[in-house]
Amino acid sequence: MNRKAMQHLARSLGLQYSVLAQATREEEKAARTAGLPQGYQGDFMPYLDAAGKPRCAAKTRSGAPCKAQGLGHGHRCKMHGGLSTGPATEEGRQAAKEALERWRATRKT
């Protein structure tokens, strides 16, 4: 429902717009999180497992939430946008260093 329609509805019910809008947001949030693991607060927040540790909770291909440990931005795992572990081998570290130098050279011009 758009803002004008919501304001009209609030006026006809004799309520303040902010009260009606807050109630609507809470209902939408409850509907969005219904059936999800406990602690899940939205698309970017983690859910807590039975031990209280944050988990990724990104939707996997099977449709179930990812059970990997959540880290980085939004508590996602490294496969769903969290922190990267970086290059593991010496060749990988050297390639990353060269790529960074090439990128820096393009930024100077």
Side-chain angles (χ1 to χ4, degrees):
M1 180 179 302
N2 66 24
R3 185 181 175 111
K4 286 285 188 187
M6 186 84 84
Q7 287 173 340
H8 181 70
L9 178 63
R11 202 174 313 122
S12 65
L13 293 173
L15 297 172
Q16 288 184 336
Y17 168 74
S18 59
V19 173
L20 184 62
Q22 179 66 29
T24 304
R25 279 192 294 272
E26 289 173 2
E27 287 178 12
E28 288 173 354
K29 182 178 179 182
R32 216 176 32 246
T33 58
L36 294 175
Q38 182 179 1
Y40 189 83
Q41 296 291 316
D43 189 34
F44 60 92
M45 294 297 289
Y47 73 90
L48 302 177
D49 63 4
K53 295 180 180 177
R55 296 296 169 194
C56 175
K59 189 183 226 182
T60 60
R61 285 186 267 182
S62 66
C66 176
K67 296 177 185 173
Q69 183 177 358
L71 9 120
H73 178 71
H75 299 283
R76 295 295 194 195
C77 70
K78 66 181 183 178
M79 290 179 278
H80 294 112
L83 297 173
S84 170
T85 60
T89 63
E90 189 57 44
E91 293 84 22
R93 284 192 273 279
Q94 186 62 33
K97 185 178 177 182
E98 291 169 2
L100 179 63
E101 289 170 359
R102 284 194 308 272
W103 178 80
R104 284 181 177 160
T106 62
R107 301 285 291 176
K108 290 180 182 177
T109 59

XYZ file of all heavy atoms in Angstrom:
823
model
N 0.855 -1.169 0.000
C 0.000 0.000 0.000
C 0.907 1.240 0.000
O 1.864 1.308 0.747
C -0.878 -0.040 1.256
C -1.807 1.132 1.367
S -2.883 1.117 2.828
C -3.761 -0.390 2.677
N 0.585 2.217 -0.847
C 1.419 3.405 -0.914
C 1.111 4.367 0.248
O 0.150 4.189 0.995
C 1.281 4.112 -2.268
C -0.106 4.688 -2.484
O -0.836 4.977 -1.550
N -0.448 4.873 -3.748
N 1.939 5.364 0.388
C 1.851 6.272 1.532
C 0.531 7.038 1.585
O -0.080 7.165 2.638
C 3.035 7.237 1.487
C 3.103 8.136 2.685
C 4.290 9.087 2.585
N 4.277 10.009 3.668
C 5.159 10.017 4.643
N 6.123 9.138 4.654
N 5.081 10.895 5.619
N 0.080 7.544 0.444
C -1.170 8.315 0.413
C -2.354 7.454 0.859
O -3.212 7.895 1.622
C -1.433 8.870 -0.988
C -0.548 10.016 -1.370
C -1.014 11.250 -0.658
C -0.242 12.448 -1.186
N -0.516 13.640 -0.447
N -2.403 6.223 0.346
C -3.496 5.328 0.730
C -3.440 5.012 2.224
O -4.468 4.952 2.896
C -3.427 4.047 -0.080
N -2.219 4.831 2.736
C -2.049 4.553 4.165
C -2.486 5.751 5.005
O -3.127 5.589 6.046
C -0.593 4.209 4.455
C -0.343 3.779 5.867
S -0.667 2.051 6.144
C 0.862 1.371 5.618
N -2.155 6.971 4.563
C -2.573 8.178 5.290
C -4.096 8.305 5.283
O -4.705 8.648 6.291
C -1.931 9.416 4.667
C -0.458 9.532 4.952
C 0.194 10.668 4.178
O -0.335 11.131 3.171
N 1.355 11.100 4.640
N -4.709 8.017 4.148
C -6.169 8.089 4.045
C -6.822 7.057 4.971
O -7.799 7.361 5.666
C -6.599 7.864 2.600
C -8.075 7.938 2.395
N -8.779 9.117 2.489
C -8.981 6.977 2.131
C -10.062 8.869 2.290
N -10.209 7.578 2.068
N -6.270 5.844 4.993
C -6.799 4.801 5.858
C -6.656 5.186 7.332
O -7.594 5.010 8.120
C -6.087 3.473 5.589
C -6.493 2.286 6.445
C -7.959 1.939 6.200
C -5.616 1.090 6.155
N -5.506 5.741 7.703
C -5.291 6.160 9.089
C -6.284 7.246 9.483
O -6.853 7.217 10.585
C -3.857 6.650 9.266
N -6.511 8.203 8.592
C -7.447 9.287 8.865
C -8.869 8.743 9.037
O -9.596 9.144 9.933
C -7.396 10.314 7.730
C -7.893 11.683 8.121
C -7.705 12.728 7.023
N -6.369 12.718 6.430
C -6.122 12.536 5.123
N -7.100 12.365 4.268
N -4.894 12.539 4.662
N -9.250 7.784 8.186
C -10.604 7.238 8.274
C -10.801 6.383 9.529
O -11.908 6.294 10.051
C -10.935 6.414 7.029
O -10.106 5.281 6.969
N -9.710 5.781 10.035
C -9.799 4.985 11.257
C -9.612 5.827 12.517
O -9.777 5.333 13.626
C -8.749 3.872 11.249
C -8.941 2.776 10.205
C -7.752 1.837 10.189
C -10.217 2.011 10.479
N -9.220 7.087 12.341
C -8.995 7.966 13.478
C -7.683 7.691 14.191
O -7.551 7.941 15.386
N -6.699 7.159 13.442
C -5.382 6.866 14.009
C -4.339 7.819 13.440
O -4.556 8.423 12.392
C -4.959 5.434 13.661
C -5.805 4.297 14.207
C -5.350 2.988 13.594
C -5.682 4.241 15.718
N -3.217 7.907 14.139
C -2.093 8.651 13.578
C -1.433 7.778 12.517
O -1.359 6.550 12.666
C -1.072 8.997 14.654
C -1.520 10.055 15.615
C -0.401 10.395 16.585
O 0.488 9.594 16.831
N -0.463 11.592 17.132
N -0.914 8.418 11.490
C -0.269 7.683 10.408
C 0.910 6.872 10.927
O 1.096 5.710 10.560
C 0.193 8.650 9.314
C 1.107 8.005 8.305
C 0.610 7.130 7.354
C 2.478 8.237 8.323
C 1.435 6.515 6.440
C 3.315 7.636 7.415
C 2.787 6.772 6.476
O 3.609 6.168 5.577
N 1.714 7.457 11.822
C 2.915 6.775 12.310
C 2.563 5.494 13.063
O 3.271 4.490 12.958
C 3.741 7.701 13.197
O 2.975 8.124 14.303
N 1.460 5.506 13.803
C 1.047 4.319 14.551
C 0.635 3.209 13.584
O 1.028 2.048 13.732
C -0.115 4.662 15.514
C -0.668 3.412 16.169
C 0.337 5.666 16.547
N -0.140 3.554 12.581
C -0.585 2.573 11.588
C 0.598 2.038 10.781
O 0.692 0.836 10.533
C -1.630 3.190 10.657
C -2.244 2.251 9.630
C -2.991 1.120 10.313
C -3.159 3.004 8.699
N 1.517 2.914 10.407
C 2.676 2.499 9.622
C 3.564 1.560 10.435
O 4.054 0.550 9.911
C 3.473 3.713 9.163
N 3.779 1.858 11.707
C 4.599 0.999 12.565
C 3.968 -0.384 12.707
O 4.647 -1.400 12.616
C 4.789 1.644 13.950
C 5.611 0.811 14.911
C 7.041 0.655 14.466
O 7.604 1.518 13.796
N 7.641 -0.463 14.820
N 2.658 -0.418 12.907
C 1.967 -1.706 13.029
C 2.074 -2.503 11.734
O 2.278 -3.731 11.767
C 0.500 -1.476 13.392
N 1.959 -1.829 10.613
C 2.069 -2.505 9.318
C 3.469 -3.070 9.123
O 3.638 -4.199 8.660
C 1.726 -1.531 8.174
O 0.422 -0.996 8.413
C 1.747 -2.214 6.834
N 4.502 -2.286 9.495
C 5.880 -2.771 9.370
C 6.107 -4.004 10.240
O 6.762 -4.961 9.823
C 6.869 -1.672 9.744
C 7.121 -0.677 8.644
C 8.316 0.206 8.946
N 8.103 1.079 10.084
C 7.555 2.282 10.033
N 7.147 2.750 8.876
N 7.413 3.008 11.114
N 5.576 -3.998 11.460
C 5.743 -5.146 12.351
C 5.046 -6.386 11.796
O 5.581 -7.494 11.873
C 5.212 -4.804 13.741
C 6.084 -3.816 14.488
C 5.471 -3.342 15.792
O 4.372 -3.815 16.154
O 6.103 -2.500 16.445
N 3.862 -6.202 11.213
C 3.152 -7.335 10.603
C 3.930 -7.892 9.417
O 4.032 -9.108 9.245
C 1.761 -6.909 10.148
C 0.775 -6.703 11.273
C -0.577 -6.223 10.763
O -0.815 -6.266 9.539
O -1.384 -5.806 11.608
N 4.476 -7.012 8.581
C 5.248 -7.453 7.421
C 6.502 -8.203 7.857
O 6.873 -9.217 7.270
C 5.618 -6.267 6.544
C 4.450 -5.686 5.780
C 4.799 -4.408 5.054
O 5.931 -3.895 5.223
O 3.941 -3.909 4.313
N 7.169 -7.714 8.903
C 8.373 -8.369 9.407
C 8.034 -9.742 9.958
O 8.745 -10.712 9.725
C 9.027 -7.518 10.487
C 10.307 -8.108 11.015
C 10.946 -7.214 12.048
C 12.217 -7.824 12.583
N 12.824 -7.002 13.624
N 6.916 -9.845 10.689
C 6.497 -11.138 11.240
C 6.185 -12.127 10.118
O 6.548 -13.306 10.195
C 5.286 -10.955 12.144
N 5.542 -11.656 9.056
C 5.220 -12.529 7.931
C 6.484 -12.957 7.188
O 6.592 -14.101 6.734
C 4.273 -11.815 6.972
N 7.465 -12.044 7.076
C 8.710 -12.340 6.364
C 9.545 -13.369 7.107
O 10.228 -14.176 6.511
C 9.496 -11.038 6.213
C 10.241 -10.898 4.952
C 10.939 -9.570 4.763
N 11.429 -8.923 5.945
C 10.975 -7.772 6.433
N 9.990 -7.161 5.839
N 11.487 -7.237 7.501
N 9.527 -13.341 8.451
C 10.382 -14.217 9.233
C 9.655 -15.448 9.755
O 10.246 -16.246 10.460
C 10.991 -13.447 10.416
O 9.936 -12.919 11.210
C 11.889 -12.336 9.951
N 8.391 -15.618 9.407
C 7.642 -16.788 9.868
C 8.266 -18.053 9.298
O 8.559 -18.148 8.108
C 6.189 -16.686 9.440
N 8.514 -19.017 10.149
C 9.066 -20.297 9.716
C 10.573 -20.318 9.594
O 11.150 -21.358 9.291
N 11.254 -19.192 9.833
C 12.714 -19.162 9.753
C 13.306 -19.506 11.113
O 12.624 -19.415 12.137
C 13.190 -17.778 9.313
C 12.803 -17.394 7.895
C 13.208 -15.971 7.604
C 13.460 -18.328 6.897
N 14.581 -19.895 11.149
C 15.195 -20.247 12.430
C 15.148 -19.083 13.421
O 15.129 -17.916 13.030
C 16.639 -20.559 12.042
C 16.583 -20.903 10.609
C 15.476 -20.095 10.034
N 15.164 -19.419 14.714
C 15.068 -18.408 15.760
C 16.248 -17.449 15.678
O 17.385 -17.841 15.492
C 15.067 -19.073 17.130
C 14.917 -18.104 18.263
C 14.903 -18.812 19.607
O 15.016 -20.016 19.673
N 14.758 -18.057 20.651
N 15.993 -16.183 15.814
C 17.041 -15.165 15.788
C 17.229 -14.533 14.434
O 17.928 -13.547 14.308
N 16.632 -15.081 13.386
C 16.786 -14.523 12.046
C 15.998 -13.226 11.974
O 14.816 -13.192 12.248
C 16.268 -15.526 11.014
C 16.575 -15.141 9.597
C 17.798 -15.419 9.035
C 15.629 -14.493 8.828
C 18.073 -15.079 7.732
C 15.902 -14.148 7.523
C 17.114 -14.450 6.986
O 17.384 -14.104 5.696
N 16.646 -12.120 11.608
C 16.017 -10.810 11.678
C 15.816 -10.139 10.336
O 15.473 -8.989 10.269
C 16.856 -9.878 12.566
C 16.922 -10.328 14.005
C 15.584 -10.176 14.691
O 14.905 -9.171 14.539
N 15.184 -11.177 15.435
N 16.070 -10.792 9.260
C 15.913 -10.161 7.957
C 16.870 -10.767 6.960
O 17.460 -11.811 7.203
N 17.061 -10.123 5.839
C 17.888 -10.685 4.778
C 19.371 -10.656 5.091
O 20.128 -11.426 4.557
C 17.617 -9.934 3.473
C 18.282 -10.622 2.300
O 18.369 -11.849 2.303
O 18.711 -9.913 1.390
N 19.832 -9.742 5.938
C 21.261 -9.613 6.157
C 21.692 -9.944 7.566
O 22.848 -9.820 7.901
C 21.709 -8.183 5.824
C 21.012 -7.151 6.666
C 21.553 -6.710 7.847
C 19.804 -6.641 6.263
C 20.902 -5.772 8.613
C 19.147 -5.711 7.041
C 19.698 -5.270 8.202
N 20.797 -10.352 8.431
C 21.158 -10.668 9.799
C 21.284 -12.181 9.966
O 20.603 -12.951 9.325
C 20.110 -10.129 10.775
C 20.038 -8.624 10.796
S 21.543 -7.836 11.347
C 21.518 -8.263 13.064
N 22.172 -12.619 10.864
C 22.356 -14.050 11.047
C 21.269 -14.646 11.932
O 20.540 -13.928 12.594
C 23.687 -14.117 11.777
C 23.687 -12.887 12.611
C 23.035 -11.839 11.744
N 21.182 -15.932 11.930
C 20.377 -16.578 12.947
C 21.331 -17.292 13.878
O 22.478 -17.579 13.536
C 19.326 -17.506 12.346
C 19.834 -18.799 11.764
C 19.927 -19.938 12.553
C 20.192 -18.893 10.434
C 20.377 -21.127 12.035
C 20.637 -20.081 9.903
C 20.731 -21.193 10.713
O 21.173 -22.369 10.193
N 20.899 -17.575 15.062
C 21.748 -18.225 16.049
C 21.388 -19.707 16.110
O 20.221 -20.071 16.146
C 21.552 -17.577 17.414
C 21.836 -16.071 17.469
C 21.538 -15.526 18.854
C 23.251 -15.765 17.060
N 22.428 -20.540 16.141
C 22.163 -21.967 16.260
C 21.880 -22.313 17.720
O 21.767 -21.438 18.574
C 23.332 -22.779 15.697
C 24.627 -22.570 16.465
O 24.623 -21.852 17.474
O 25.647 -23.147 16.054
N 21.752 -23.595 18.026
C 21.408 -24.025 19.376
C 22.471 -23.612 20.400
O 22.158 -23.377 21.566
C 21.220 -25.535 19.413
N 23.732 -23.488 19.955
C 24.819 -23.089 20.852
C 24.935 -21.571 20.982
O 25.777 -21.073 21.713
C 26.142 -23.662 20.354
N 24.102 -20.834 20.244
C 24.141 -19.372 20.307
C 25.141 -18.728 19.379
O 25.390 -17.530 19.462
N 25.735 -19.503 18.459
C 26.710 -18.954 17.513
C 25.991 -18.474 16.257
O 25.055 -19.108 15.783
C 27.739 -20.021 17.140
C 28.586 -20.451 18.302
C 29.577 -21.497 17.863
C 30.424 -21.938 19.038
N 31.351 -23.002 18.635
N 26.436 -17.337 15.679
C 25.782 -16.852 14.464
C 26.093 -17.748 13.268
O 27.213 -18.225 13.108
C 26.367 -15.453 14.260
C 27.653 -15.467 14.988
C 27.492 -16.439 16.122
N 25.094 -17.976 12.448
C 25.243 -18.759 11.227
C 24.869 -17.893 10.040
O 24.165 -16.892 10.165
C 24.358 -20.003 11.277
C 24.757 -20.964 12.375
C 26.132 -21.502 12.103
N 26.662 -22.230 13.246
C 27.932 -22.564 13.365
N 28.795 -22.237 12.431
N 28.345 -23.224 14.401
N 25.309 -18.283 8.850
C 25.144 -17.476 7.642
C 23.668 -17.246 7.297
O 23.245 -16.122 7.083
C 25.854 -18.151 6.485
S 25.621 -17.370 4.889
N 22.889 -18.296 7.196
C 21.456 -18.258 6.894
C 21.121 -17.795 5.481
O 19.972 -17.532 5.188
C 20.688 -17.412 7.891
N 22.109 -17.691 4.581
C 21.796 -17.365 3.192
C 21.024 -18.531 2.590
O 21.217 -19.685 2.969
C 23.078 -17.124 2.401
N 20.151 -18.237 1.659
C 19.347 -19.294 1.044
C 20.228 -20.106 0.102
O 20.850 -19.570 -0.816
C 18.192 -18.670 0.282
C 17.181 -19.669 -0.216
C 16.123 -18.951 -1.021
C 14.761 -19.412 -0.636
N 13.739 -18.765 -1.445
N 20.296 -21.409 0.315
C 21.100 -22.280 -0.535
C 20.269 -22.742 -1.731
O 19.080 -22.465 -1.805
C 21.589 -23.506 0.250
O 20.453 -24.227 0.711
C 22.450 -23.092 1.435
N 20.900 -23.486 -2.631
C 20.181 -23.967 -3.812
C 19.051 -24.919 -3.451
O 18.059 -25.017 -4.148
C 21.137 -24.648 -4.783
C 21.981 -23.636 -5.535
C 22.799 -24.333 -6.573
N 24.102 -24.640 -5.989
C 25.085 -25.225 -6.639
N 24.926 -25.582 -7.884
N 26.223 -25.462 -6.056
N 19.206 -25.618 -2.323
C 18.140 -26.527 -1.885
C 16.999 -25.776 -1.208
O 15.961 -26.355 -0.934
C 18.705 -27.560 -0.914
O 19.121 -26.928 0.281
N 17.211 -24.490 -0.917
C 16.179 -23.675 -0.287
C 16.324 -23.566 1.218
O 15.634 -22.787 1.856
N 17.215 -24.363 1.795
C 17.441 -24.318 3.244
C 18.464 -23.224 3.566
O 19.256 -22.836 2.711
C 17.968 -25.666 3.719
N 18.467 -22.693 4.792
C 19.470 -21.691 5.139
C 20.856 -22.314 5.276
O 20.987 -23.450 5.737
C 18.977 -21.123 6.476
C 18.029 -22.115 7.007
C 17.486 -22.877 5.855
N 21.874 -21.588 4.873
C 23.263 -22.036 4.984
C 23.621 -22.162 6.464
O 23.282 -21.308 7.267
C 24.185 -21.031 4.298
S 25.941 -21.416 4.458
N 24.326 -23.236 6.815
C 24.669 -23.491 8.213
C 26.108 -23.131 8.540
O 26.575 -23.391 9.646
C 24.426 -24.954 8.536
C 22.962 -25.347 8.428
C 22.785 -26.813 8.687
C 21.340 -27.209 8.462
N 21.159 -28.653 8.533
N 26.830 -22.529 7.589
C 28.221 -22.157 7.830
C 28.302 -20.999 8.822
O 27.356 -20.242 8.986
C 28.890 -21.756 6.519
N 29.460 -20.879 9.481
C 29.638 -19.810 10.457
C 29.581 -18.458 9.755
O 30.206 -18.252 8.725
C 30.973 -19.963 11.167
C 31.194 -18.929 12.240
C 32.495 -19.150 12.991
O 33.211 -20.095 12.735
N 32.786 -18.270 13.912
N 28.806 -17.545 10.297
C 28.672 -16.224 9.700
C 29.818 -15.311 10.092
O 30.138 -15.181 11.262
N 30.447 -14.683 9.116
C 31.500 -13.708 9.377
C 31.390 -12.562 8.399
O 30.629 -12.629 7.462
C 32.896 -14.326 9.227
C 33.098 -15.688 8.666
C 33.953 -15.697 7.439
C 33.850 -16.430 9.742
N 32.114 -11.506 8.648
C 32.143 -10.393 7.713
C 30.846 -9.620 7.639
O 30.049 -9.625 8.565
N 30.628 -8.961 6.514
C 29.477 -8.083 6.322
C 28.180 -8.858 6.445
O 27.948 -9.824 5.727
C 29.557 -7.414 4.956
C 28.395 -6.536 4.671
N 28.211 -5.345 5.323
C 27.339 -6.682 3.860
C 27.094 -4.801 4.898
N 26.542 -5.596 3.989
N 27.335 -8.445 7.350
C 26.037 -9.072 7.498
C 26.097 -10.483 8.034
O 25.137 -11.219 7.936
N 27.234 -10.893 8.559
C 27.417 -12.229 9.129
C 27.165 -13.327 8.112
O 26.587 -14.354 8.426
C 26.526 -12.414 10.361
C 26.843 -11.455 11.448
N 27.932 -11.605 12.266
C 26.236 -10.319 11.830
C 27.974 -10.615 13.119
N 26.957 -9.807 12.870
N 27.597 -13.120 6.879
C 27.506 -14.152 5.859
C 28.797 -14.959 5.857
O 29.856 -14.464 6.255
C 27.291 -13.548 4.470
C 25.974 -12.823 4.312
C 24.832 -13.772 4.436
N 23.606 -13.150 3.950
C 22.413 -13.623 4.194
N 22.261 -14.709 4.906
N 21.359 -13.028 3.727
N 28.732 -16.185 5.361
C 29.938 -17.002 5.248
C 30.742 -16.537 4.024
O 30.275 -15.715 3.231
C 29.571 -18.475 5.132
S 28.799 -18.941 3.572
N 31.932 -17.096 3.852
C 32.779 -16.635 2.755
C 32.200 -16.969 1.382
O 32.511 -16.319 0.404
C 34.191 -17.205 2.882
C 34.291 -18.697 2.732
C 35.722 -19.154 2.901
C 35.835 -20.648 2.685
N 37.220 -21.094 2.797
N 31.319 -17.956 1.306
C 30.720 -18.304 0.021
C 29.516 -17.427 -0.312
O 29.048 -17.422 -1.437
C 30.315 -19.769 0.018
C 31.519 -20.685 0.003
S 31.069 -22.408 0.030
C 30.786 -22.640 1.770
N 29.006 -16.700 0.660
C 27.826 -15.865 0.439
C 28.098 -14.392 0.721
O 27.200 -13.665 1.118
C 26.656 -16.370 1.294
C 26.185 -17.718 0.895
N 26.345 -18.824 1.680
C 25.571 -18.154 -0.244
C 25.846 -19.885 1.064
N 25.374 -19.499 -0.107
N 29.334 -13.939 0.566
C 29.634 -12.521 0.651
C 30.316 -12.070 1.923
O 30.456 -10.881 2.156
N 30.765 -13.005 2.757
C 31.475 -12.634 3.980
C 32.948 -12.416 3.708
O 33.373 -12.192 2.574
N 33.744 -12.520 4.754
C 35.175 -12.315 4.621
C 35.822 -13.413 3.788
O 35.428 -14.571 3.850
C 35.830 -12.303 6.006
C 35.413 -11.191 6.942
C 36.026 -11.420 8.307
C 35.834 -9.859 6.397
N 36.837 -13.042 3.018
C 37.593 -13.998 2.231
C 38.805 -14.433 3.035
O 39.348 -13.674 3.836
C 38.066 -13.337 0.936
O 38.988 -14.173 0.278
N 39.248 -15.664 2.831
C 40.445 -16.137 3.529
C 41.703 -15.706 2.795
O 42.799 -15.845 3.338
C 40.426 -17.663 3.651
O 40.385 -18.228 2.347
C 39.234 -18.117 4.477
N 41.573 -15.201 1.578
C 42.733 -14.743 0.822
C 43.446 -15.890 0.128
O 43.079 -17.056 0.278
N 44.507 -15.567 -0.653
C 45.236 -16.612 -1.369
C 45.946 -17.548 -0.396
O 46.524 -17.103 0.597
C 46.240 -15.855 -2.225
C 46.064 -14.421 -1.940
C 44.990 -14.243 -0.947
N 45.928 -18.847 -0.681
C 46.499 -19.837 0.227
C 47.933 -20.209 -0.133
O 48.686 -20.641 0.731
C 45.630 -21.086 0.239
N 48.317 -20.055 -1.393
C 49.660 -20.464 -1.813
C 50.511 -19.234 -2.101
O 50.009 -18.122 -2.264
C 49.583 -21.326 -3.092
O 49.046 -20.514 -4.147
C 48.709 -22.550 -2.874
N 51.801 -19.468 -2.195
C 52.732 -18.376 -2.507
C 52.478 -17.834 -3.911
O 52.542 -16.623 -4.134
C 54.178 -18.868 -2.364
C 55.208 -17.758 -2.457
C 54.999 -16.652 -1.422
O 54.728 -16.971 -0.256
O 55.092 -15.465 -1.803
N 52.160 -18.706 -4.863
C 51.857 -18.257 -6.224
C 50.596 -17.391 -6.222
O 50.523 -16.378 -6.922
C 51.645 -19.455 -7.162
C 52.883 -20.288 -7.410
C 53.117 -21.334 -6.325
O 52.149 -21.710 -5.633
O 54.267 -21.746 -6.156
N 49.617 -17.788 -5.439
C 48.388 -17.009 -5.345
C 48.625 -15.643 -4.732
O 48.060 -14.633 -5.168
N 49.463 -15.590 -3.705
C 49.782 -14.293 -3.081
C 50.526 -13.385 -4.054
O 50.270 -12.184 -4.117
C 50.608 -14.518 -1.811
C 49.780 -15.011 -0.647
C 50.541 -14.955 0.659
N 51.336 -16.141 0.911
C 50.862 -17.291 1.397
N 49.588 -17.418 1.648
N 51.668 -18.303 1.612
N 51.442 -13.975 -4.830
C 52.187 -13.196 -5.818
C 51.253 -12.688 -6.913
O 51.345 -11.526 -7.325
C 53.307 -14.050 -6.437
C 54.224 -13.296 -7.362
C 54.983 -12.177 -6.658
O 55.321 -12.276 -5.487
N 55.238 -11.097 -7.372
N 50.323 -13.531 -7.372
C 49.373 -13.116 -8.402
C 48.473 -12.000 -7.881
O 48.174 -11.038 -8.602
C 48.537 -14.309 -8.853
N 48.060 -12.085 -6.623
C 47.219 -11.042 -6.039
C 47.993 -9.726 -5.925
O 47.452 -8.648 -6.181
C 46.716 -11.481 -4.666
N 49.252 -9.825 -5.567
C 50.091 -8.623 -5.456
C 50.265 -7.957 -6.824
O 50.155 -6.736 -6.952
C 51.448 -8.997 -4.874
C 52.350 -7.824 -4.605
C 53.654 -8.297 -3.970
C 54.604 -7.141 -3.773
N 55.886 -7.584 -3.218
N 50.510 -8.765 -7.860
C 50.659 -8.222 -9.219
C 49.356 -7.586 -9.702
O 49.360 -6.530 -10.330
C 51.117 -9.320 -10.177
C 52.544 -9.782 -9.920
C 52.899 -11.045 -10.679
O 52.039 -11.548 -11.451
O 54.023 -11.523 -10.500
N 48.231 -8.231 -9.402
C 46.940 -7.679 -9.809
C 46.680 -6.349 -9.108
O 46.171 -5.401 -9.716
C 45.826 -8.670 -9.492
N 47.057 -6.255 -7.840
C 46.892 -5.004 -7.100
C 47.760 -3.907 -7.701
O 47.313 -2.764 -7.850
C 47.238 -5.208 -5.627
C 47.145 -3.977 -4.742
C 45.705 -3.461 -4.700
C 47.644 -4.290 -3.348
N 48.993 -4.245 -8.079
C 49.882 -3.256 -8.698
C 49.333 -2.783 -10.049
O 49.393 -1.591 -10.361
C 51.285 -3.839 -8.859
C 52.009 -4.009 -7.528
C 53.300 -4.797 -7.654
O 53.653 -5.238 -8.775
O 53.953 -4.981 -6.618
N 48.776 -3.710 -10.850
C 48.168 -3.329 -12.123
C 46.971 -2.412 -11.895
O 46.787 -1.431 -12.611
C 47.722 -4.573 -12.908
C 48.838 -5.328 -13.562
C 48.314 -6.327 -14.587
N 47.281 -7.209 -14.076
C 47.501 -8.364 -13.463
N 48.739 -8.784 -13.290
N 46.494 -9.109 -13.047
N 46.164 -2.719 -10.906
C 44.995 -1.893 -10.599
C 45.418 -0.496 -10.155
O 44.845 0.490 -10.582
C 44.160 -2.566 -9.512
C 42.977 -1.763 -9.100
C 41.791 -1.666 -9.751
C 42.865 -0.928 -7.949
N 40.937 -0.829 -9.077
C 41.588 -0.356 -7.953
C 43.716 -0.620 -6.900
C 41.134 0.507 -6.962
C 43.275 0.235 -5.912
C 41.994 0.782 -5.965
N 46.434 -0.432 -9.314
C 46.914 0.873 -8.844
C 47.466 1.706 -10.000
O 47.331 2.920 -10.020
C 47.993 0.690 -7.775
C 47.426 0.279 -6.442
C 48.505 0.121 -5.413
N 47.944 -0.213 -4.115
C 48.628 -0.762 -3.141
N 49.906 -1.064 -3.294
N 48.050 -1.023 -1.989
N 48.109 1.033 -10.966
C 48.657 1.752 -12.117
C 47.526 2.357 -12.965
O 47.672 3.460 -13.488
C 49.501 0.816 -12.963
N 46.414 1.678 -13.072
C 45.303 2.218 -13.859
C 44.614 3.373 -13.135
O 44.019 4.229 -13.770
C 44.248 1.133 -14.176
O 43.689 0.656 -12.951
C 44.863 -0.013 -14.947
N 44.671 3.399 -11.826
C 44.008 4.452 -11.030
C 44.785 5.767 -11.085
O 44.223 6.815 -10.862
C 43.866 4.019 -9.573
C 43.071 2.751 -9.369
C 41.635 2.988 -9.535
N 41.153 3.798 -8.430
C 39.946 4.263 -8.288
N 39.051 3.974 -9.200
N 39.599 5.004 -7.282
N 46.091 5.708 -11.337
C 46.921 6.914 -11.353
C 46.729 7.732 -12.608
O 46.978 8.924 -12.618
C 48.383 6.541 -11.195
C 48.719 6.024 -9.813
C 50.176 5.670 -9.697
C 50.480 5.108 -8.323
N 51.863 4.687 -8.194
N 46.306 7.116 -13.700
C 46.167 7.844 -14.958
C 44.833 8.491 -15.117
O 43.943 8.419 -14.404
C 46.405 6.894 -16.156
O 45.469 5.842 -16.099
C 47.815 6.393 -16.152
